[in-house]
Amino acid sequence: MTSEPQASTAEDRLKGLHERLGGIAYGGDYNPEQWPRDVWLEDARLMQEAGVNLVTLAVFSWSRLETSDGVYDFGWLDDVMDLMHRHGIGVDLATPDAVPPAWLTQQHPDIHPVLADGTTFGFGSRQHFDVSHPVYRRKALALAERMGEHYAKHPALRMWHVGNEYGPLSYGPWADKAFRGWLQQKYSSLEDLNQAWSTDVWGQVYSDWSQVGVPAQPRTWSNPSRRLDFHRFTSASMLDHYTAVRDILRRHTPDLPIVTNFMRFYKTNDYWAWAAEEDAAALDIYPDPREADSHVAAALNFDLMRSLRNGQPWMVMEQATGAVSQWPINVSKLPGKMRLGSYQAIAQGSDGILFFQWRQARGGTERYHSAMVGHAGPITRIFREVCELGTELKSLAGLTGTRSSAKVAIVFDWDCWWALELGNSPRSDLNYAQEVLRLYRPLFDANVTVDFVDTKRDLSQYSLVLMPAAYLLTDESARRFEDYVSDGGRLVVSYLSGIVDESNTIRLGGYPGALRNVLGAWSEEMHPLAGDGEEVKLTLSDGGTASAGYWTEHLHTDGADVLASYASGRLAGAPAVTRNAFGRGSAVYLSARVDATFLSALLDAECKAAGVHPELDGPRGVQVRRRAGKGKRFLFMLNHNDAPASVNVGGGGTDLLTGHPVQGAVELPPSGVLVLEENSVEDTRLEDRRTADAATNDTTR
Ligand code: GLA
C-alpha cells in the first residue's frame, strides 16, 4: 500500500467541507450527461429550491470524459461545474473507474472479470473490471491524474468520490498472477503456505509456486484456507487501487476529503482496512420498505459506519427517495419515511444526506429508480418532501462534527465473516451478518448505544463487549479479549466464536479453543438443529424456562456457572449458557441460539451489571440517540411506529426543527422526529448516570 502524502488531517478536511457547505451535506448523484443542456438549467434552479449544497458528478462518465484512448473531453463537465458554482452548489467529483469504457475493454477484453466457473462478465453493466489488470489500473490512474490536475482549483470542487461500490472478485489470469505475488509476500516459503493451507488434506501439496493460484471452481468443495486468503487478497488489491487513486488526488487537492462509497452488509471488502485509508466512511443504504423492521439493520450499518473511523462523523452517500429498481418488487417509501430514515442516519453520526439520484433517468437500467426529481417533474409529493428536508437540515448546521459515545462494543470483523461462511462447516446456511444482528437488536430496542470493533481493537473503554460468531481469532486477539475480561470487562460470546486460527485451522482441545480459558467452559461436539424449525427447551438457573433453535453444543463447564441447561433433545441435562468469573471480570457463553426473550433479559442483566444505561427510557419503537461536542448536546427521538408515541424529554431544550422550547412529555406523530438541543449539557440525569457507573465499575471492573 502506498503511504498517503499528509497535508491536513481527515478531521480538518471534513471541518473545511462542512464550513463551505454551511452545515450538513445535502444532495445526490447528478448525471447531467443523460440530459440536454436546457434541463441542466432547470436542475440548478430546482437544486437551489430543494436546499441542495452538494452533488456527486461523473460517477459513470469515463466514456464521456475519455472518448477514445488518451482523448480527453472535459468541456461538458467544466460547464456543469461552472453552472453548479454559479448556483452555490458544491461538487463531490467522482473518478469514474467503475465503468471502463467500451473502447478500452474492446482493446483489452481481459479487463472483464472472470467468475469462479471461468465465465467472463461481458460489457454492458458496470464494475466490469479485474482490478489486477495493469492496463485498467494505468488508465484509471491516468484519468484521475488528469481530473485532479484539471479541477484542483475549480471553485465548486468540495470533495472526491473514488470509484463506486468497489466490487467484483475476479478469478481471471491477472488476478491469478497478482494473488500468487501476494501469497509470496505473505508466506516465507512454499512449505509455509502448504502448512497454513493444510494441503496434505486431499493431496493438494504444492511443489512449485507456479502451481499456486486463484481458487477457481473446484470439482466439489475447495480448500477453506486458500479461499480465505483469496478474500483477503481481493479486498487488499482493490484497496491498493483505491489508495493509488487517492494519493494522486491528494497531491492535487491536499485539503479536500476523499472517500469511496460503502454498501450495507458488504462482505467483499474489509471496511476496517478501507476506512483507515479514507477521510470519512460513506454508505449507500437502501432499507426495503416491505420489511417493517428494516430500520434495525440500517441502524446496525449506521453504527458500523460511525465506528469504522473511531466515532468520526460519516455520510449517507446514497439512499432512495422512494423505490429502488433492483429488486423483484420495488415498493416505494411511505410519506415521512425518507425523512425519518435521514434523521436516523444523522442521529447515528452522519453529517451528510445524499440520494441516488437527483433526476430520475428516462432510459437505461435504472429508469424506475426513484430520485429527488421524478419522471413527473417537481410537482410531486417526493419533491415536496425533498424540499422540506433540505430546509429543515439548514437548522442543524451546529451538529456537524459532533459525536456519540458508547460503553458497549460488538465485534464485527471481516476475517470472521469470510471464514465463517466458507462452507465445509456443520451447516452451510451460516450468515454472519444475521448473527451480529441477533445480538445487536436487543440493545437497539433498549436504546443502548453501541460501537462496533474489529478483533484487533483495544477494548479498555468498554464496560461490555459482545462477540457474535467471531469465528476466527488470532492468538493475539484471543489474548486481548482474555486480558479485557481479566481487567474487569464483561464479555458475552456466542457459538461459533474462536473456533479457528489465522489460517482457518481448527483450534484443538475443545471448542471454542481460543476462548475456553476465559469462558471456563468447552464443547466436545457441535449439534446444529434441523433446519425445519426444530427447537429444544432450556431450564434457567432461576427456575424459568426458555428455548433454543438452529444451533446447540455439547458443553462442559470448567469453572463457569450454569445460567441455562438443555431440558430436551439429545443434550438434555447438559449446560447451554454459562457465566465465568475471570480475574476482575466475567464471560458469558451462549452455546445455543436462545430465544429472543431470554436473550434480551440476559443482555439487560449484563448491561445493568456493567453500569450501562439506555440513552432514555422510551416506548418501544422510539429510537433515542445523542450527539455531543463543541459544548452542546443534541437529543434525537425517532418514532419508527405507525402510531403516535409519547416520550418524556425531562429538562428539555430547544426543538431545532421548530425553534420552540420543549420539556416534559412530548407526543411524536407516526414517523415523527424530534431533534433537541438540550438545555443543560451536564443535566442531572447524566450526572446520576456517571455516579452510578462509577459505583458499578468499582465493583464490576
Ligand atoms: C448503488 C449504486 C448506484 C445505484 C443505486 C441504486 O448504490 O452506487 O449507482 O445503482 O445502487 O439503488
Side-chain angles (χ1 to χ4, degrees):
M1 195 169 300
T2 47
S3 65
E4 183 184 2
Q6 285 302 327
S8 47
T9 64
E11 209 157 9
D12 297 335
R13 292 189 277 269
L14 289 179
K15 192 160 172 271
L17 170 75
H18 293 291
E19 276 168 9
R20 293 174 81 190
L21 295 178
I24 291 182
Y26 189 58
D29 278 27
Y30 179 37
N31 299 301
E33 63 270 46
Q34 298 172 9
W35 298 96
R37 283 180 180 242
D38 55 332
V39 178
W40 299 2
L41 288 174
E42 193 200 12
D43 283 334
R45 191 184 56 71
L46 290 176
M47 283 174 191
Q48 282 184 323
E49 192 179 325
V52 165
N53 57 16
L54 189 71
V55 290
T56 305
L57 286 174
V59 181
F60 302 117
S61 309
W62 192 339
S63 56
R64 287 281 180 204
L65 291 173
E66 188 178 5
T67 50
S68 60
D69 199 354
V71 178
Y72 296 98
D73 174 12
F74 291 174
W76 66 270
L77 186 55
D78 292 349
D79 293 345
V80 181
M81 299 271 296
D82 294 348
L83 179 70
M84 293 296 108
H85 179 58
R86 283 202 300 282
H87 287 79
I89 295 157
V91 172
D92 168 31
L93 188 56
T95 59
D97 48 20
V99 283
W103 59 258
L104 181 58
T105 56
Q106 184 184 39
Q107 278 174 20
H108 302 277
D110 54 347
I111 283 179
H112 287 128
V114 178
L115 281 74
D117 67 1
T119 323
T120 302
F121 283 126
F123 184 82
S125 180
R126 52 185 182 172
Q127 275 93 11
H128 47 274
F129 59 85
D130 175 345
V131 81
S132 301
H133 197 292
V135 176
Y136 167 77
R137 291 280 277 259
R138 182 164 54 72
K139 292 300 296 177
L141 297 189
L143 181 54
E145 184 75 58
R146 288 279 180 145
M147 292 179 78
E149 199 172 67
H150 191 82
Y151 291 111
K153 301 267 177 308
H154 197 286
L157 185 65
R158 297 283 177 274
M159 64 183 288
W160 292 98
H161 179 299
V162 177
N164 190 64
E165 298 186 334
Y166 273 96
L169 274 63
S170 179
Y171 296 79
W174 294 104
D176 190 61
K177 184 164 179 261
F179 183 44
R180 194 156 39 254
W182 184 89
L183 292 168
Q184 283 172 318
Q185 294 278 321
K186 173 169 178 166
Y187 295 102
S188 54
S189 66
L190 195 54
E191 184 44 34
D192 201 15
L193 177 143
N194 277 315
Q195 283 295 325
W197 287 8
S198 302
T199 54
D200 274 303
V201 177
W202 284 9
Q204 296 173 0
V205 178
Y206 299 101
S207 59
D208 190 274
W209 276 108
S210 60
Q211 297 152 10
V212 182
V214 293
Q217 189 76 52
R219 198 191 72 75
T220 57
W221 303 283
S222 74
N223 184 313
S225 302
R226 180 182 175 201
R227 285 171 59 207
L228 174 61
D229 266 344
F230 185 61
H231 273 292
R232 290 168 169 154
F233 155 76
T234 301
S235 175
S237 58
M238 277 190 276
L239 179 55
D240 192 53
H241 177 60
Y242 166 83
T243 55
V245 177
R246 179 206 61 191
D247 289 353
I248 290 171
L249 301 175
R250 182 77 82 227
R251 235 186 324 104
H252 290 289
T253 54
D255 298 322
L256 296 187
I258 305 175
V259 306
T260 186
N261 46 348
F262 289 166
M263 285 174 270
R264 167 192 187 273
F265 288 137
Y266 187 62
K267 184 174 158 187
T268 302
N269 292 330
D270 175 356
Y271 283 161
W272 292 105
W274 279 69
E277 302 293 338
E278 298 186 66
D279 288 321
L283 178 70
D284 299 348
I285 185 79
Y286 294 99
D288 190 342
R290 285 181 303 170
E291 293 167 16
D293 65 348
S294 62
H295 61 282
V296 184
L300 189 165
N301 282 273
F302 295 164
D303 281 333
L304 180 60
M305 292 300 125
R306 190 175 51 75
S307 304
L308 286 174
R309 288 187 52 85
N310 213 7
Q312 186 192 281
W314 55 280
M315 311 177 72
V316 171
M317 189 50 89
E318 290 180 21
Q319 64 168 347
T321 54
V324 299
S325 63
Q326 60 266 38
W327 299 331
I329 303 175
N330 300 293
V331 170
S332 181
K333 290 178 180 173
L334 288 169
K337 293 288 184 194
M338 176 278 280
R339 174 177 183 263
L340 177 63
S342 303
Y343 280 109
Q344 186 190 2
I346 295 171
Q348 294 187 237
S350 175
D351 277 355
I353 297 295
L354 292 103
F355 296 87
F356 178 83
Q357 60 180 330
W358 164 253
R359 190 180 274 279
Q360 188 170 18
R362 59 186 303 196
T365 317
E366 295 187 298
R367 61 203 192 285
Y368 288 111
H369 196 292
S370 63
M372 298 168 86
V373 180
H375 287 153
I379 49 169
T380 61
R381 177 219 20 124
I382 283 184
F383 188 67
R384 271 196 307 280
E385 287 191 26
V386 162
C387 292
E388 281 160 16
L389 182 61
T391 305
E392 282 184 354
L393 291 185
K394 291 194 200 321
S395 55
L396 302 187
L399 259 170
T400 58
T402 59
R403 294 170 173 239
S404 308
S405 64
K407 293 178 68 180
V408 183
I410 302 183
V411 176
F412 195 110
D413 189 285
W414 266 259
D415 256 357
C416 294
W417 194 349
W418 293 327
L420 182 78
E421 293 185 4
L422 283 174
N424 312 113
S425 54
R427 54 187 313 157
S428 61
D429 59 351
L430 295 171
N431 183 320
Y432 180 67
Q434 291 306 314
E435 295 299 333
V436 178
L437 186 57
R438 189 159 288 102
L439 292 201
Y440 176 83
R441 187 184 292 268
L443 296 177
F444 174 86
D445 287 342
N447 280 318
V448 170
T449 302
V450 305
D451 285 347
F452 285 93
V453 292
D454 66 5
T455 54
K456 301 179 198 75
R457 254 291 287 277
D458 169 49
L459 302 165
S460 51
Q461 75 187 86
Y462 299 108
S463 311
L464 174 64
V465 173
L466 311 186
M467 193 191 264
Y471 188 67
L472 183 155
L473 291 179
T474 63
D475 293 348
E476 201 189 322
S477 305
R479 205 171 315 115
R480 194 172 308 106
F481 284 106
E482 200 169 296
D483 289 348
Y484 163 73
V485 178
S486 121
D487 289 347
R490 301 187 78 93
L491 183 67
V492 176
V493 176
S494 87
Y495 49 87
L496 287 162
S497 294
I499 302 294
V500 300
D501 65 13
E502 149 91 19
S503 301
N504 207 2
T505 307
I506 305 285
R507 292 179 174 277
L508 304 180
Y511 315 119
L515 298 165
R516 56 168 292 184
N517 194 32
V518 68
L519 294 177
W522 62 279
S523 292
E524 67 170 79
E525 209 178 353
M526 298 170 177
H527 286 287
L529 299 179
D532 55 7
E534 184 186 344
E535 281 195 346
V536 293
K537 292 196 176 77
L538 303 180
T539 305
L540 310 186
S541 55
D542 65 5
T545 57
S547 63
Y550 188 82
W551 189 267
T552 61
E553 286 173 11
H554 186 176
L555 190 66
H556 300 276
T557 55
D558 187 9
D561 296 328
V562 176
L563 302 184
S565 306
Y566 294 106
S568 69
R570 61 195 293 173
L571 299 174
V577 180
T578 57
R579 183 187 286 123
N580 190 38
F582 187 85
R584 291 189 291 129
S586 66
V588 168
Y589 185 54
L590 294 155
S591 77
R593 182 184 284 180
V594 301
D595 68 67
T597 308
F598 176 40
L599 181 63
S600 294
L602 182 81
L603 293 183
D604 186 47
E606 285 296 313
C607 282
K608 288 204 168 90
V612 172
H613 301 268
E615 291 293 347
L616 203 81
D617 284 325
R620 199 172 169 82
V622 176
Q623 184 184 353
V624 183
R625 289 298 176 113
R626 278 200 165 76
R627 290 180 64 167
K630 305 186 243 177
K632 294 180 174 176
R633 219 153 62 109
F634 303 93
L635 176 72
F636 291 80
M637 301 226 170
L638 309 150
N639 185 9
H640 293 286
N641 299 305
D642 291 329
S646 178
V647 288
N648 193 325
V649 298
T654 306
D655 179 339
L656 290 183
L657 304 181
T658 63
H660 298 142
V662 174
Q663 76 185 123
V666 175
E667 174 110 335
L668 287 174
S671 303
V673 170
L674 180 68
V675 186
L676 213 62
E677 184 176 331
E678 292 182 280
N679 279 335
S680 166
V681 175
E682 297 299 321
D683 75 359
T684 46
R685 196 193 53 76
L686 191 70
E687 276 310 304
D688 288 344
R689 185 160 74 167
R690 290 213 180 108
T691 317
D693 291 348
T696 326
N697 282 347
D698 280 349
T699 53
T700 59
R701 299 221 49 177

